[in-house]
mmCIF file with all atom_site columns, all heavy atoms in Angstrom:
data_model
loop_
_atom_site.group_PDB
_atom_site.id
_atom_site.type_symbol
_atom_site.label_atom_id
_atom_site.label_alt_id
_atom_site.label_comp_id
_atom_site.label_asym_id
_atom_site.label_entity_id
_atom_site.label_seq_id
_atom_site.pdbx_PDB_ins_code
_atom_site.Cartn_x
_atom_site.Cartn_y
_atom_site.Cartn_z
_atom_site.occupancy
_atom_site.B_iso_or_equiv
_atom_site.pdbx_formal_charge
_atom_site.auth_seq_id
_atom_site.auth_comp_id
_atom_site.auth_asym_id
_atom_site.auth_atom_id
_atom_site.pdbx_PDB_model_num
ATOM 1   N N   . ALA A 1 185 ? -108.787 -82.838 134.555 1.00 98.00 ? 1443 ALA A N   1
ATOM 2   C CA  . ALA A 1 185 ? -108.365 -82.939 135.958 1.00 98.00 ? 1443 ALA A CA  1
ATOM 3   C C   . ALA A 1 185 ? -106.966 -82.362 136.160 1.00 98.00 ? 1443 ALA A C   1
ATOM 4   O O   . ALA A 1 185 ? -106.742 -81.539 137.058 1.00 98.00 ? 1443 ALA A O   1
ATOM 5   C CB  . ALA A 1 185 ? -108.407 -84.401 136.412 1.00 98.00 ? 1443 ALA A CB  1
ATOM 6   N N   . ARG A 1 186 ? -106.016 -82.778 135.310 1.00 97.00 ? 1444 ARG A N   1
ATOM 7   C CA  . ARG A 1 186 ? -104.615 -82.360 135.488 1.00 97.00 ? 1444 ARG A CA  1
ATOM 8   C C   . ARG A 1 186 ? -104.421 -80.870 135.218 1.00 97.00 ? 1444 ARG A C   1
ATOM 9   O O   . ARG A 1 186 ? -103.573 -80.230 135.855 1.00 97.00 ? 1444 ARG A O   1
ATOM 10  C CB  . ARG A 1 186 ? -103.709 -83.162 134.557 1.00 97.00 ? 1444 ARG A CB  1
ATOM 11  C CG  . ARG A 1 186 ? -103.709 -84.658 134.807 1.00 97.00 ? 1444 ARG A CG  1
ATOM 12  C CD  . ARG A 1 186 ? -103.045 -85.003 136.125 1.00 97.00 ? 1444 ARG A CD  1
ATOM 13  N NE  . ARG A 1 186 ? -103.055 -86.454 136.329 1.00 97.00 ? 1444 ARG A NE  1
ATOM 14  C CZ  . ARG A 1 186 ? -103.992 -87.110 136.985 1.00 97.00 ? 1444 ARG A CZ  1
ATOM 15  N NH1 . ARG A 1 186 ? -105.012 -86.451 137.530 1.00 97.00 ? 1444 ARG A NH1 1
ATOM 16  N NH2 . ARG A 1 186 ? -103.930 -88.424 137.129 1.00 97.00 ? 1444 ARG A NH2 1
ATOM 17  N N   . ASN A 1 187 ? -105.173 -80.311 134.290 1.00 98.00 ? 1445 ASN A N   1
ATOM 18  C CA  . ASN A 1 187 ? -104.934 -78.934 133.863 1.00 98.00 ? 1445 ASN A CA  1
ATOM 19  C C   . ASN A 1 187 ? -105.912 -77.912 134.432 1.00 98.00 ? 1445 ASN A C   1
ATOM 20  O O   . ASN A 1 187 ? -105.615 -76.716 134.405 1.00 98.00 ? 1445 ASN A O   1
ATOM 21  C CB  . ASN A 1 187 ? -104.961 -78.854 132.335 1.00 98.00 ? 1445 ASN A CB  1
ATOM 22  C CG  . ASN A 1 187 ? -103.811 -79.594 131.692 1.00 98.00 ? 1445 ASN A CG  1
ATOM 23  O OD1 . ASN A 1 187 ? -102.710 -79.077 131.579 1.00 98.00 ? 1445 ASN A OD1 1
ATOM 24  N ND2 . ASN A 1 187 ? -104.073 -80.838 131.285 1.00 98.00 ? 1445 ASN A ND2 1
ATOM 25  N N   . ILE A 1 188 ? -107.063 -78.371 134.945 1.00 98.00 ? 1446 ILE A N   1
ATOM 26  C CA  . ILE A 1 188 ? -108.057 -77.414 135.431 1.00 98.00 ? 1446 ILE A CA  1
ATOM 27  C C   . ILE A 1 188 ? -108.501 -77.737 136.855 1.00 98.00 ? 1446 ILE A C   1
ATOM 28  O O   . ILE A 1 188 ? -108.175 -77.012 137.795 1.00 98.00 ? 1446 ILE A O   1
ATOM 29  C CB  . ILE A 1 188 ? -109.279 -77.363 134.483 1.00 98.00 ? 1446 ILE A CB  1
ATOM 30  C CG1 . ILE A 1 188 ? -108.855 -76.922 133.087 1.00 98.00 ? 1446 ILE A CG1 1
ATOM 31  C CG2 . ILE A 1 188 ? -110.331 -76.397 135.033 1.00 98.00 ? 1446 ILE A CG2 1
ATOM 32  C CD1 . ILE A 1 188 ? -109.973 -76.899 132.071 1.00 98.00 ? 1446 ILE A CD1 1
ATOM 33  N N   . SER A 1 189 ? -109.240 -78.834 137.034 1.00 97.00 ? 1447 SER A N   1
ATOM 34  C CA  . SER A 1 189 ? -109.907 -79.042 138.324 1.00 97.00 ? 1447 SER A CA  1
ATOM 35  C C   . SER A 1 189 ? -108.927 -79.240 139.481 1.00 97.00 ? 1447 SER A C   1
ATOM 36  O O   . SER A 1 189 ? -109.216 -78.844 140.614 1.00 97.00 ? 1447 SER A O   1
ATOM 37  C CB  . SER A 1 189 ? -110.884 -80.221 138.235 1.00 97.00 ? 1447 SER A CB  1
ATOM 38  O OG  . SER A 1 189 ? -110.228 -81.411 137.865 1.00 97.00 ? 1447 SER A OG  1
ATOM 39  N N   . GLU A 1 190 ? -107.763 -79.851 139.214 1.00 97.00 ? 1448 GLU A N   1
ATOM 40  C CA  . GLU A 1 190 ? -106.797 -80.037 140.291 1.00 97.00 ? 1448 GLU A CA  1
ATOM 41  C C   . GLU A 1 190 ? -106.013 -78.774 140.620 1.00 97.00 ? 1448 GLU A C   1
ATOM 42  O O   . GLU A 1 190 ? -105.227 -78.762 141.575 1.00 97.00 ? 1448 GLU A O   1
ATOM 43  C CB  . GLU A 1 190 ? -105.836 -81.181 139.934 1.00 97.00 ? 1448 GLU A CB  1
ATOM 44  C CG  . GLU A 1 190 ? -106.529 -82.546 139.922 1.00 97.00 ? 1448 GLU A CG  1
ATOM 45  C CD  . GLU A 1 190 ? -105.616 -83.677 139.517 1.00 97.00 ? 1448 GLU A CD  1
ATOM 46  O OE1 . GLU A 1 190 ? -104.418 -83.412 139.236 1.00 97.00 ? 1448 GLU A OE1 1
ATOM 47  O OE2 . GLU A 1 190 ? -106.081 -84.823 139.470 1.00 97.00 ? 1448 GLU A OE2 1
ATOM 48  N N   . HIS A 1 191 ? -106.224 -77.702 139.846 1.00 96.00 ? 1449 HIS A N   1
ATOM 49  C CA  . HIS A 1 191 ? -105.572 -76.416 140.132 1.00 96.00 ? 1449 HIS A CA  1
ATOM 50  C C   . HIS A 1 191 ? -106.496 -75.483 140.918 1.00 96.00 ? 1449 HIS A C   1
ATOM 51  O O   . HIS A 1 191 ? -106.058 -74.402 141.323 1.00 96.00 ? 1449 HIS A O   1
ATOM 52  C CB  . HIS A 1 191 ? -105.178 -75.730 138.818 1.00 96.00 ? 1449 HIS A CB  1
ATOM 53  C CG  . HIS A 1 191 ? -104.051 -76.399 138.100 1.00 96.00 ? 1449 HIS A CG  1
ATOM 54  N ND1 . HIS A 1 191 ? -102.774 -75.886 138.054 1.00 96.00 ? 1449 HIS A ND1 1
ATOM 55  C CD2 . HIS A 1 191 ? -104.002 -77.564 137.408 1.00 96.00 ? 1449 HIS A CD2 1
ATOM 56  C CE1 . HIS A 1 191 ? -101.989 -76.682 137.355 1.00 96.00 ? 1449 HIS A CE1 1
ATOM 57  N NE2 . HIS A 1 191 ? -102.709 -77.714 136.948 1.00 96.00 ? 1449 HIS A NE2 1
ATOM 58  N N   . LEU A 1 192 ? -107.733 -75.866 141.110 1.00 96.00 ? 1450 LEU A N   1
ATOM 59  C CA  . LEU A 1 192 ? -108.694 -74.984 141.769 1.00 96.00 ? 1450 LEU A CA  1
ATOM 60  C C   . LEU A 1 192 ? -108.526 -75.019 143.280 1.00 96.00 ? 1450 LEU A C   1
ATOM 61  O O   . LEU A 1 192 ? -107.984 -75.978 143.839 1.00 96.00 ? 1450 LEU A O   1
ATOM 62  C CB  . LEU A 1 192 ? -110.114 -75.402 141.369 1.00 96.00 ? 1450 LEU A CB  1
ATOM 63  C CG  . LEU A 1 192 ? -110.408 -75.305 139.860 1.00 96.00 ? 1450 LEU A CG  1
ATOM 64  C CD1 . LEU A 1 192 ? -111.809 -75.816 139.553 1.00 96.00 ? 1450 LEU A CD1 1
ATOM 65  C CD2 . LEU A 1 192 ? -110.234 -73.879 139.360 1.00 96.00 ? 1450 LEU A CD2 1
ATOM 66  N N   . PRO A 1 193 ? -108.977 -73.977 143.982 1.00 95.00 ? 1451 PRO A N   1
ATOM 67  C CA  . PRO A 1 193 ? -108.756 -73.883 145.435 1.00 95.00 ? 1451 PRO A CA  1
ATOM 68  C C   . PRO A 1 193 ? -109.377 -75.038 146.210 1.00 95.00 ? 1451 PRO A C   1
ATOM 69  O O   . PRO A 1 193 ? -110.461 -75.521 145.870 1.00 95.00 ? 1451 PRO A O   1
ATOM 70  C CB  . PRO A 1 193 ? -109.437 -72.554 145.798 1.00 95.00 ? 1451 PRO A CB  1
ATOM 71  C CG  . PRO A 1 193 ? -109.482 -71.780 144.522 1.00 95.00 ? 1451 PRO A CG  1
ATOM 72  C CD  . PRO A 1 193 ? -109.645 -72.784 143.433 1.00 95.00 ? 1451 PRO A CD  1
ATOM 73  N N   . VAL A 1 194 ? -108.691 -75.486 147.240 1.00 97.00 ? 1452 VAL A N   1
ATOM 74  C CA  . VAL A 1 194 ? -109.157 -76.547 148.134 1.00 97.00 ? 1452 VAL A CA  1
ATOM 75  C C   . VAL A 1 194 ? -108.903 -76.099 149.572 1.00 97.00 ? 1452 VAL A C   1
ATOM 76  O O   . VAL A 1 194 ? -107.875 -75.482 149.868 1.00 97.00 ? 1452 VAL A O   1
ATOM 77  C CB  . VAL A 1 194 ? -108.414 -77.874 147.848 1.00 97.00 ? 1452 VAL A CB  1
ATOM 78  C CG1 . VAL A 1 194 ? -108.835 -78.947 148.842 1.00 97.00 ? 1452 VAL A CG1 1
ATOM 79  C CG2 . VAL A 1 194 ? -108.672 -78.344 146.425 1.00 97.00 ? 1452 VAL A CG2 1
ATOM 80  N N   . HIS A 1 195 ? -109.832 -76.393 150.453 1.00 98.00 ? 1453 HIS A N   1
ATOM 81  C CA  . HIS A 1 195 ? -109.680 -76.006 151.855 1.00 98.00 ? 1453 HIS A CA  1
ATOM 82  C C   . HIS A 1 195 ? -108.673 -76.920 152.557 1.00 98.00 ? 1453 HIS A C   1
ATOM 83  O O   . HIS A 1 195 ? -108.521 -78.092 152.201 1.00 98.00 ? 1453 HIS A O   1
ATOM 84  C CB  . HIS A 1 195 ? -111.036 -76.086 152.556 1.00 98.00 ? 1453 HIS A CB  1
ATOM 85  C CG  . HIS A 1 195 ? -111.070 -75.383 153.876 1.00 98.00 ? 1453 HIS A CG  1
ATOM 86  N ND1 . HIS A 1 195 ? -110.654 -75.980 155.059 1.00 98.00 ? 1453 HIS A ND1 1
ATOM 87  C CD2 . HIS A 1 195 ? -111.457 -74.118 154.207 1.00 98.00 ? 1453 HIS A CD2 1
ATOM 88  C CE1 . HIS A 1 195 ? -110.798 -75.127 156.055 1.00 98.00 ? 1453 HIS A CE1 1
ATOM 89  N NE2 . HIS A 1 195 ? -111.277 -73.986 155.571 1.00 98.00 ? 1453 HIS A NE2 1
ATOM 90  N N   . GLY A 1 196 ? -108.011 -76.396 153.560 1.00 97.00 ? 1454 GLY A N   1
ATOM 91  C CA  . GLY A 1 196 ? -107.013 -77.166 154.291 1.00 97.00 ? 1454 GLY A CA  1
ATOM 92  C C   . GLY A 1 196 ? -107.588 -78.351 155.050 1.00 97.00 ? 1454 GLY A C   1
ATOM 93  O O   . GLY A 1 196 ? -106.854 -79.273 155.417 1.00 97.00 ? 1454 GLY A O   1
ATOM 94  N N   . ALA A 1 197 ? -108.900 -78.357 155.289 1.00 98.00 ? 1455 ALA A N   1
ATOM 95  C CA  . ALA A 1 197 ? -109.515 -79.471 156.017 1.00 98.00 ? 1455 ALA A CA  1
ATOM 96  C C   . ALA A 1 197 ? -109.779 -80.677 155.123 1.00 98.00 ? 1455 ALA A C   1
ATOM 97  O O   . ALA A 1 197 ? -110.125 -81.746 155.621 1.00 98.00 ? 1455 ALA A O   1
ATOM 98  C CB  . ALA A 1 197 ? -110.827 -79.012 156.655 1.00 98.00 ? 1455 ALA A CB  1
ATOM 99  N N   . ALA A 1 198 ? -109.627 -80.517 153.804 1.00 98.00 ? 1456 ALA A N   1
ATOM 100 C CA  . ALA A 1 198 ? -109.873 -81.620 152.870 1.00 98.00 ? 1456 ALA A CA  1
ATOM 101 C C   . ALA A 1 198 ? -108.630 -82.496 152.761 1.00 98.00 ? 1456 ALA A C   1
ATOM 102 O O   . ALA A 1 198 ? -107.513 -81.995 152.624 1.00 98.00 ? 1456 ALA A O   1
ATOM 103 C CB  . ALA A 1 198 ? -110.253 -81.070 151.501 1.00 98.00 ? 1456 ALA A CB  1
ATOM 104 N N   . HIS A 1 199 ? -108.819 -83.811 152.786 1.00 97.00 ? 1457 HIS A N   1
ATOM 105 C CA  . HIS A 1 199 ? -107.685 -84.730 152.749 1.00 97.00 ? 1457 HIS A CA  1
ATOM 106 C C   . HIS A 1 199 ? -107.828 -85.814 151.685 1.00 97.00 ? 1457 HIS A C   1
ATOM 107 O O   . HIS A 1 199 ? -106.893 -86.587 151.481 1.00 97.00 ? 1457 HIS A O   1
ATOM 108 C CB  . HIS A 1 199 ? -107.498 -85.398 154.116 1.00 97.00 ? 1457 HIS A CB  1
ATOM 109 C CG  . HIS A 1 199 ? -107.008 -84.460 155.176 1.00 97.00 ? 1457 HIS A CG  1
ATOM 110 N ND1 . HIS A 1 199 ? -105.675 -84.342 155.516 1.00 97.00 ? 1457 HIS A ND1 1
ATOM 111 C CD2 . HIS A 1 199 ? -107.686 -83.578 155.947 1.00 97.00 ? 1457 HIS A CD2 1
ATOM 112 C CE1 . HIS A 1 199 ? -105.558 -83.433 156.469 1.00 97.00 ? 1457 HIS A CE1 1
ATOM 113 N NE2 . HIS A 1 199 ? -106.760 -82.945 156.749 1.00 97.00 ? 1457 HIS A NE2 1
ATOM 114 N N   . GLY A 1 200 ? -108.949 -85.903 151.022 1.00 95.00 ? 1458 GLY A N   1
ATOM 115 C CA  . GLY A 1 200 ? -109.159 -86.971 150.059 1.00 95.00 ? 1458 GLY A CA  1
ATOM 116 C C   . GLY A 1 200 ? -108.662 -86.639 148.675 1.00 95.00 ? 1458 GLY A C   1
ATOM 117 O O   . GLY A 1 200 ? -108.936 -85.552 148.153 1.00 95.00 ? 1458 GLY A O   1
ATOM 118 N N   . PHE A 1 201 ? -107.903 -87.552 148.055 1.00 94.00 ? 1459 PHE A N   1
ATOM 119 C CA  . PHE A 1 201 ? -107.482 -87.438 146.654 1.00 94.00 ? 1459 PHE A CA  1
ATOM 120 C C   . PHE A 1 201 ? -106.654 -86.182 146.387 1.00 94.00 ? 1459 PHE A C   1
ATOM 121 O O   . PHE A 1 201 ? -106.812 -85.528 145.351 1.00 94.00 ? 1459 PHE A O   1
ATOM 122 C CB  . PHE A 1 201 ? -108.712 -87.465 145.728 1.00 94.00 ? 1459 PHE A CB  1
ATOM 123 C CG  . PHE A 1 201 ? -109.681 -88.554 146.076 1.00 94.00 ? 1459 PHE A CG  1
ATOM 124 C CD1 . PHE A 1 201 ? -110.859 -88.279 146.776 1.00 94.00 ? 1459 PHE A CD1 1
ATOM 125 C CD2 . PHE A 1 201 ? -109.415 -89.861 145.723 1.00 94.00 ? 1459 PHE A CD2 1
ATOM 126 C CE1 . PHE A 1 201 ? -111.752 -89.291 147.109 1.00 94.00 ? 1459 PHE A CE1 1
ATOM 127 C CE2 . PHE A 1 201 ? -110.305 -90.886 146.050 1.00 94.00 ? 1459 PHE A CE2 1
ATOM 128 C CZ  . PHE A 1 201 ? -111.470 -90.601 146.742 1.00 94.00 ? 1459 PHE A CZ  1
#
Side-chain angles (χ1 to χ4, degrees):
R1444 298 291 180 267
N1445 293 277
I1446 299 178
S1447 59
E1448 292 178 0
H1449 290 254
L1450 299 177
V1452 176
H1453 195 275
H1457 290 264
F1459 314 102

